[in-house]
Amino acid sequence: MLQLDGVSKVYRVGAFGGTGLTAVRDVSFTVRAGEVVSLIGESGSGKSTIGKMILRLIGVTSGSITFDGTDIARLDGDSLRAYYRSVQGVFQDPFSSYNPVFKVDHIFDLLRGTYFRDAGDADWRRKVEESLESVMLDPAQILHKYPHQLSGGQLQRLLVARALLLDTRFLVADEIISMLDASTRIDVLNLLGDLKGRGLGILFITHDLSLGNYISEKTVILSRGRIVEMGATGRVYGNPLHPYTRALMGSVPQLHRKWSEVEADLAAKGANVAGRCIYHAQHGTDGGPVAPDGVATGLVEAEADHFVGCFRPYLEGAC
Amino acid sequence: MTLQVTDLRVYYRTLAGDVRALDGVTFDLADGEIMGLAGESGCGKSTLGNSLVRIDGRMKYVAGTVRLDGLELPIADMDRMDEFRFKDISIIPQYAMSALNPTRKIGRMVADLLESRGVRFGEMRTELERRLLLVGLTEAVLDRYPIELSGGMKQRMVMVLSTLLNPSLLIADEITSALDVTSQRAVAETLVEFRARGFVKGMIVITHDVSILYQVADTLTIMYAGKLAEKAPTSVIMQKALHPYTDLLISSLPEVGVRFDERRLSGIPGTPPSLLNPPPGCRFRDRCPLAFEKCAEEPPFVEVAPDHSVACWKVA
Ligand SMILES: Nc1ncnc2c1ncn2[C@@H]1O[C@H](COP(=O)(O)OP(=O)(O)OP(=O)(O)O)[C@@H](O)[C@H]1O
Ligand SMILES: Nc1ncnc2c1ncn2[C@@H]1O[C@H](COP(=O)(O)OP(=O)(O)OP(=O)(O)O)[C@@H](O)[C@H]1O
Ligand code: SF4
Ligand SMILES: [Mg+2]
Ligand SMILES: [Mg+2]
């Protein structure tokens, strides 16, 4: 359904945009219908940049993003509007998506003005109510309220409801859980699970691996704009290969295991790969595309449905 | 005993009436204890933390006492609290990171703060640099503006600053929430390190993220709608929580290894009551699967085992 092919993004920074900052580097992956792919990495690793390129809020510097076989860079006018009927985004801070002056209904009215000019009042009302019910909100309790009268979880689900009003088939969910507290987190996660059951493709962006593990079939680990590891979620979590992935896993606060226990466990698991770059071991020392700083950007298949990239710069010395 | 809080009640004045955000809270914090404070958004965690340090004009002290190292704090008196703030009891407020003055260099800010407490910056400089190194920062940060530091660096900086005068008690309000997992771990481990080095005696660590508290807290206190539901050693709460709310809260957390397709976790249906005119009786009654007639009366917060207190009729 959605495919990224060798996508890179260079931001112009500095006075007069004199220098370039490579935020995303040679990234390729696919998201199929009915699949949740989690995109995981530290702050600044390029997650949101990828989300924004998919939503065409910013352009790609090189490479291509295709949706149902069409390069999205070529869309305009009607075809772009059609794209946005299918592809929608929800972002981290639910509060900032609302104007405090208006009742929450306003976000639906805006949508109606753009996409549903022909819908009659009764029709429109029914559509809104259906979408609210599909995210487990009671329309009577939610509509006609001001943003400050609702909880973060309710506001967040309301944004998902709005995204679903269109014939959404693909959703970019960028850190939509981190602002929510524990008891509402699980509701929003389950909602994503139900949506994938209905055939939506979802890109779930997060820095918290336990959330990604709960909901996704596929995991992509991003470090400094580059994919360092990717594959079936069970494989990546069960057998993390890249030093970066392991460090990330070691930092996730778990509920019944202390950091020190997790670390010991990871060290034991990693003993077989310690100090050896799997990418270069498989590829030979000169294989694959190389970025200007000497790090190879490609991936090799370490086991079925489990890919890993060069261990640099997390490995001392040469590969 | 470092801290004793007895029947503390602090409300917010609003046009519609009083918001009873902290409505009769009693607990002790032992010497050296790191107490984690968790609960849903809006349950009163920050109100509790702030009340121990600064009851400002929007708030109204209603009742209760706070004793620190045997001495009763004049918490209702903003001016008299001044001599305790920062020196004996220090708080890192929620959103402290985004509240840093963007136009002032970090070093200037530190100097201002120290001088406002009658401490000369020059005298503290060596100790400050030593502690910065300890958290992986160099004195160069003193010459930078807040915007030039990452979130994790800012939080470590704020931690060093707020404990520089070795207060008895540190209150850290949501200091890990806006950080990614790597920085969360660094910041949380710094708290434990500070206790080990004697920079602070006791701590109240506030966050809605129970898994962080599991990593660093000796005891966990769970709050619900302006009251304490349960307090016990961390391992007891994780394994044998007694309050129905604690139980539901902990089982709603996605653990590493649990998958939606295999085991769907469930949230807690319903929402907390309004604190403007909270209903009488147990405030969790509407959502509690075990509620019975008795719950129309308010359950007292009582010690049911050593160091384990609960407010629930089913338990007591
Ligand atoms: N508009 C922009 N102009 C210049 N640089 C940018 C811009 N947006 C992002 N960057 C830089 O690109 C890199 C990747 O940023 P991005 O927001 O994609 O990271 P992220 O993984 O989403 O991080 P976070 O977890 O903090 O949201 C960062 O170094 C960031 O500073
Ligand atoms: N200035 C204020 N005026 C009126 N009500 C307030 C004010 N500040 C907070 N409240 C209310 O008091 C209650 C407790 O708020 P508090 O900030 O202590 O919650 P919290 O547990 O820290 O929540 P969070 O997890 O979102 O930080 C909430 O219901 C809140 O709406
Ligand atoms: S007192 Fe009653 S309503 Fe409250 S938690 Fe206990 S059983 Fe539930
Ligand atoms: Mg981002
Ligand atoms: Mg708070």
Side-chain angles (χ1 to χ4, degrees):
Chain A
M1 139 179 269
L2 185 92
Q3 182 164 357
L4 278 75
D5 265 314
V7 171
S8 296
K9 177 72 191 179
V10 180
Y11 287 112
R12 295 275 138 230
V13 292
F16 314 111
T19 42
L21 183 150
T22 306
V24 172
R25 178 174 283 176
D26 200 8
V27 159
S28 307
F29 64 87
T30 56
V31 186
R32 286 191 280 266
E35 188 175 68
V36 178
V37 172
S38 49
L39 184 58
I40 294 172
E42 280 173 299
S43 181
S45 56
K47 306 181 295 294
S48 297
T49 300
I50 292 180
K52 286 180 197 156
M53 288 189 288
I54 293 171
L55 292 168
R56 264 206 43 178
L57 300 173
I58 54 178
V60 301
T61 305
S62 59
S64 69
I65 299 176
T66 50
F67 184 72
D68 288 345
T70 308
D71 187 337
I72 65 165
R74 281 203 236 111
L75 305 175
D76 58 8
D78 282 350
S79 62
L80 186 58
R81 207 165 7 229
Y83 181 65
Y84 283 133
R85 275 175 181 271
S86 308
V87 178
Q88 285 285 314
V90 179
F91 299 95
Q92 174 159 16
D93 177 3
F95 302 97
S96 67
S97 300
Y98 294 88
N99 185 333
V101 177
F102 295 111
K103 294 181 175 164
V104 294
D105 314 42
H106 186 63
I107 62 165
F108 292 106
D109 298 341
L110 288 175
L111 205 64
R112 186 180 181 185
T114 316
Y115 294 98
F116 299 97
R117 296 221 180 123
D118 308 332
D121 282 353
D123 251 13
W124 175 248
R125 226 192 130 68
R126 210 189 50 246
K127 240 174 130 52
V128 170
E129 289 183 357
E130 274 171 16
S131 80
L132 289 180
E133 279 155 15
S134 74
V135 299
M136 290 158 306
L137 290 175
D138 175 2
Q141 269 189 36
I142 301 292
L143 293 175
H144 315 310
K145 292 253 165 69
Y146 287 95
H148 71 264
Q149 296 173 304
L150 300 175
S151 76
Q154 288 172 325
L155 292 174
Q156 197 62 278
R157 276 181 279 167
L158 206 52
L159 292 174
V160 177
R162 178 185 62 166
L164 296 179
L165 257 181
L166 302 163
D167 312 310
T168 304
R169 292 186 295 129
F170 189 87
L171 191 68
V172 175
D174 189 351
E175 297 278 12
I176 64 172
I177 309 286
S178 13
M179 295 281 286
L180 306 179
D181 66 45
S183 49
T184 26
R185 270 182 185 193
I186 199 66
D187 291 335
V188 175
L189 276 179
N190 285 340
L191 170 62
L192 295 182
D194 293 336
L195 293 177
K196 81 174 170 186
R198 285 169 36 185
L200 256 79
I202 299 173
L203 182 67
F204 179 65
I205 298 178
T206 180
H207 67 260
D208 187 336
L209 289 89
S210 52
L211 302 178
N213 181 45
Y214 178 67
I215 202 69
S216 65
E217 3 289 318
K218 196 153 109 189
T219 296
V220 176
I221 311 275
L222 205 64
S223 159
R224 306 182 191 197
R226 165 175 79 102
I227 296 180
V228 293
E229 188 157 358
M230 143 174 119
T233 296
R235 300 265 152 114
V236 175
Y237 284 81
N239 181 25
L241 295 172
H242 199 279
Y244 178 77
T245 314
R246 288 216 293 274
L248 216 51
M249 284 198 178
S251 297
V252 176
Q254 298 196 19
L255 203 50
H256 294 286
R257 287 164 84 212
K258 297 272 158 101
W259 277 318
S260 53
E261 297 168 50
V262 175
E263 212 153 64
D265 189 35
L266 284 167
K269 266 189 198 155
N272 54 333
V273 289
R276 190 172 58 99
C277 171
I278 298 180
Y279 178 86
H280 280 101
Q282 240 186 69
H283 224 306
T285 42
D286 56 344
V290 171
D293 60 4
V295 179
T297 56
L299 296 170
V300 292
E301 190 160 15
E303 59 176 331
D305 212 359
H306 188 176
F307 301 82
V308 66
C310 175
F311 282 17
R312 283 173 71 182
Y314 301 95
L315 195 68
E316 280 172 34
C319 291
Chain B
M1 193 68 65
T2 312
L3 182 76
Q4 281 176 301
V5 175
T6 312
D7 193 36
L8 188 59
R9 287 170 204 269
V10 176
Y11 300 167
Y12 292 97
R13 304 167 210 268
T14 71
L15 291 175
D18 287 346
V19 175
R20 297 163 67 167
L22 191 63
D23 211 6
V25 160
T26 300
F27 68 93
D28 288 345
L29 189 79
D31 211 4
E33 176 177 337
I34 297 186
M35 170 181 130
L37 179 61
E40 263 160 294
S41 181
C43 70
K45 304 183 293 296
S46 297
T47 309
L48 171 53
N50 293 335
S51 295
L52 302 178
V53 185
R54 173 191 296 273
I55 295 184
D56 65 27
R58 302 164 308 150
M59 300 157 91
K60 176 166 106 181
Y61 167 81
V62 178
T65 57
V66 177
R67 300 177 78 83
L68 184 67
D69 296 325
L71 192 74
E72 183 166 342
L73 296 179
I75 52 160
D77 188 332
M78 273 271 272
D79 296 335
R80 276 179 60 217
M81 270 306 282
D82 221 33
E83 75 180 83
F84 298 94
R85 254 178 241 134
F86 191 43
K87 284 183 180 160
D88 300 291
I89 180 165
S90 203
I91 185 168
I92 305 175
Q94 192 170 5
Y95 314 118
M97 210 160 79
S98 30
L100 294 177
N101 183 342
T103 63
R104 254 177 143 50
K105 285 186 178 164
I106 305 276
R108 192 63 248 159
M109 211 180 60
V110 177
D112 288 351
L113 184 65
L114 286 171
E115 268 146 33
S116 77
R117 306 283 110 177
V119 182
R120 297 243 308 280
F121 184 45
E123 280 168 28
M124 294 306 299
R125 177 121 196 171
T126 320
E127 183 60 18
L128 175 64
E129 284 169 14
R130 195 174 73 85
R131 293 190 183 185
L132 287 175
L133 280 178
L134 201 65
V135 299
L137 300 172
T138 63
E139 58 174 306
V141 296
L142 298 175
D143 261 333
R144 316 259 299 265
Y145 289 96
I147 196 172
E148 299 175 287
L149 306 186
S150 72
M153 288 165 86
K154 266 189 267 187
Q155 285 299 37
R156 280 177 283 147
M157 177 66 227
V158 172
M159 274 190 279
V160 166
L161 180 55
S162 52
T163 53
L164 197 54
L165 302 182
N166 295 353
S168 279
L169 177 69
L170 174 70
I171 299 159
D173 194 352
E174 301 282 4
I175 59 172
T176 54
S177 322
L179 305 177
D180 67 24
V181 289
T182 322
S183 310
Q184 279 183 348
R185 179 174 178 182
V187 163
E189 288 183 332
T190 304
L191 290 175
V192 180
E193 169 98 22
F194 278 15
R195 175 187 54 182
R197 291 182 178 263
F199 298 169
V200 284
K201 285 196 246 165
M203 279 186 225
I204 298 178
V205 181
I206 301 176
T207 168
H208 60 258
D209 194 340
V210 182
S211 48
I212 298 257
L213 295 179
Y214 174 71
Q215 305 293 326
V216 300
D218 306 307
T219 61
L220 278 185
T221 299
I222 307 294
M223 235 182 133
Y224 187 79
K227 293 177 177 291
L228 300 192
E230 186 161 11
K231 178 176 191 231
T234 305
S235 57
V236 174
I237 293 270
M238 298 313 276
Q239 279 147 31
K240 309 193 276 276
L242 293 174
H243 197 286
Y245 175 66
T246 313
D247 209 36
L248 289 171
L249 184 70
I250 287 177
S251 57
S252 74
L253 304 174
E255 269 182 84
V256 172
V258 176
R259 308 279 310 270
F260 173 82
D261 301 312
E262 293 154 11
R263 180 155 81 87
R264 185 190 173 111
L265 300 172
S266 49
I268 308 174
T271 50
S274 155
L275 296 176
L276 204 51
N277 280 307
C282 176
R283 291 188 180 174
F284 189 52
R285 192 153 45 119
D286 275 4
R287 305 167 82 185
C288 180
L290 303 181
F292 62 119
E293 310 84 66
K294 182 93 176 142
C295 308
E297 287 168 45
E298 186 179 331
F301 188 62
V302 290
E303 195 163 23
V304 294
D307 298 323
H308 191 170
S309 301
V310 187
C312 171
W313 291 119
K314 271 282 187 253
V315 179

